[in-house]
Amino acid sequence: MAKVIAPNKEYTGLSAGIPFANGVGETDNEHLLQWFEGKGYTVDRSEPDTDPQTDEIAKAAELEKKEADKRLKALRKKATDLGIEGAAEKDAATLEAEIEAAGK
């Protein structure tokens, strides 16, 4: 997505259907980008910098969250099967303790 920078750096509003805040809007519509350039706007088509290490950390965090969600779902099912009330509202640590206390 390209950034469109208005000549008025304080402009906030709608121009050519593109919302601007503090002089900056975004679009990937090439026709509009050319139109804005013709009207004196600055168009920045550069790709945002991405850090491979940051991407890897984000992927690892997402995987960890999915695994934790899967574990919580399994604990809630086991607690429900054991007749532990309110399992859907409890966190994993509480469920583990209650399942252990139930001796199963």
Side-chain angles (χ1 to χ4, degrees), residues 77-86:
K77 180 178 182 339
K78 185 172 184 176
T80 300
D81 292 347
L82 292 172
I84 296 172
E85 293 184 24

Side-chain angles (χ1 to χ4, degrees), residues 12-82:
T12 297
L14 199 64
S15 288
I18 304 301
F20 282 77
N22 299 317
V24 179
E26 291 185 338
T27 184
D28 56 2
N29 182 315
E30 187 59 36
H31 175 74
L32 286 177
L33 294 172
Q34 291 175 9
W35 182 86
F36 280 116
E37 286 177 322
K39 299 293 182 185
Y41 290 69
T42 302
V43 174
D44 180 1
R45 290 180 173 84
S46 64
E47 293 295 319
D49 293 336
T50 57
D51 180 359
Q53 185 176 4
T54 302
D55 291 345
E56 288 301 315
I57 292 169
K59 287 178 187 177
E62 184 178 335
L63 180 60
E64 187 175 316
K65 182 182 180 335
K66 284 181 182 180
E67 289 174 2
D69 289 346
K70 185 178 176 181
R71 180 173 157 261
L72 179 58
K73 185 177 178 181
L75 287 169
R76 286 181 173 160
K77 180 178 182 339
K78 185 172 184 176
T80 300
D81 292 347
L82 292 172

